[in-house]
Amino acid sequence: MSQDHTKPLDAQPDPGRRKFLNTAAFAGLAGAGLSVGLSACKQEQQAPAATGTVTPASAVQEAGHHEVAPGQLDDYYSFSSGGHSGNVRIYGLPSGREIKCIPVFNTDCLVGWGITNESKAIIGTKPDGSLKYQTGDTHHVHPSYTDGTYDGKYLFVNDKIHGRLARVRLDTMETDKITELPNIQGFHGTFPDKRDPVDASINHTTRVFCGAEFSIPLPNDGAGMDKGEEYRSLFSCVDAESMEVRWQVLIDGNCDLVASSYDGKLAATNQYNTEMGVHYENMMSAEWDACLFFNVARIEEAVKAGKVSYYGGSKVPVVDGRKEANADPKTALTCYVPIPKNPHGVNISPDGKYYACSGKLSPTATVIAHELVLKWFDGEVKEPRETVVAEPEIGLGPLHTGFDNKGNAYTTLFLDSQIVKWNVEAAIKAYKGDKTATVVLDRIDVHYQPGHGFTSMGETKDSDGKYFISDNKFSKDRFLPVGPLHAETAQLIDISGDKMKLLSDHSVLSEPHDSIVIRRDIIKTRQVYNLDEFPNAVKDPKESGVFREGKKVTVKLTSQAPAYSLREFTVKKGDEVTIILTNLDKVEDLTHGFAIPKHDINFLVNPQETKSVTFKADTPGVYWCYCTHFCHALHLEMRSRMIVEA
Ligand SMILES: [Cu+2]
């Protein structure tokens, strides 16, 4: 489709969205997966479900209602994973104004992440001091909980590429720990627990669950690589405070997305490859996959009792969660609930009662009752499938579900490019045979192909039913063209009324996977550090100077706008130079930078913060170290002359 971008949008001819979707978008999706998916669906591509109608986007657009006036603050923070940018982004809602990008697994020369010694120690280094990994793929962002809602303490985010879990402190919005999970690949879904399964006094997050999507030989040491049927994936539990891996579970099939129950008793992951296929085609051969539940208390009892194995030199205990080893529900660690074909996404309702596990290649969402899964573990429910209480047909390519505070669910439909609103209790009634139950309440077009969707506060018991964000994988014609790589869209939808209303398109840089929307009053940030938090702080300009121990030289200096404490410093060719810089400015927003030409050094020091860098001075000459972050009318004069003697 070609569009005349010189005309105002309202003068554009009707872009024929449906026609467009059926050509350009589907061309890129053609393949075994899609054809399998479509053939598995009972609905016609264009036909609205009998119980719902398509609301034309033009009829519900209310541009302007979401705007936040100059000087006004947004009502919500949205934390969004940056995908293969390896970072986390923060934007305000409803404005969509981007306010921060937190480097996590990536390197970032704005703040010096991956450049300073402190950040390198968090990311992890090789024996030679260089970064172990320079890439990352953040997928899911989930904050810590207290009493079923966000407590504003931590944000956890995963790296799918290298199997790492990172923790971001929400007071400074900086990454403070990164843990690499042993013996896994493709760490996709993650979710913190919400309380302890046994100790009622612990009603906050102490564990983070991590699902591995790709099965690998165990150990992955070059043996057994041709025995694909023996590849396995592990489900991991990380301690939220120490960030040490507590335990892992050996499973059949794979893990995809992860959810945790409000009572702390269960963790769940949807499984799309119960076939355990190692090739694409094999991963879609079975009509049924599963939603896998983990009995957290029993797993921890088994670990305590020493019923564990160890793999590949790892000291993390691994319990056996495979089907065969867990045939008796009364002692089982795991429960595999059958779900139609290749589900993607599992989300728990804010009342803690139901899990919605979406179909992806089936046009259904499967609703599983939490109470019935517990009863299965008690031996009171015979078959795992009996825990399913509803399975409404909601549209094509259902992926992720958000919930409001009125018992409604909102699921992204990737192939239909829609959000469908459906009622959980009505779906349960319909499943029991009530033909009068109206399950699907509304549909709205999104632009285009939504992946994750989420409601404001929707993953807490305080879900407020105000907004839904649709993170769309393709933006196509929604923004000014910028060459082959397009932005994506985060579309803001008002869900407070009966009908969903599209409020705005926010462009998002590639490529967010998941986000969460938090009320602003929950987040309490700090604007200024404390000098004592940094053992290497240069607390007084008088402590500045050049300190030599053989070829190792430490340069200590401070910054106070608009000058560094050292106007110049001298080192020798071949020295290993460590610069320690403390920003003595106490004023909020008075951040300084420090860049050294030709030495690949650039980092920031926030008020009262200390950072250090280490590099080799190997070329004699004069190098003007300068402040990169505008700080003062005399910012340009803020420099220090590094002299490297031959
Ligand atoms: Cu400055």
Side-chain angles (χ1 to χ4, degrees), residues 482-499:
V482 288
L485 180 63
H486 290 232
E488 291 169 27
T489 42
Q491 289 187 300
L492 181 68
I493 296 167
D494 178 351
I495 56 167
S496 60
D498 290 339
K499 287 277 179 191

Side-chain angles (χ1 to χ4, degrees), residues 559-564 585 590-593 626-632 634-636 638:
S559 58
Q560 268 176 301
Y564 297 115
D585 277 314
L590 222 176
T591 293
H592 295 286
Y626 71 98
C627 179
T628 49
H629 202 82
F630 199 96
C631 59
H632 192 277
L634 293 172
H635 167 69
L636 293 183
M638 185 165 174

Side-chain angles (χ1 to χ4, degrees), residues 55 60 417-419 442-446 493 500-502:
T55 311
V60 293
S417 275
Q418 286 181 338
I419 309 305
D442 193 21
R443 293 172 186 277
I444 190 169
D445 288 341
V446 293
I493 296 167
M500 292 180 276
K501 294 174 185 169
L502 178 60

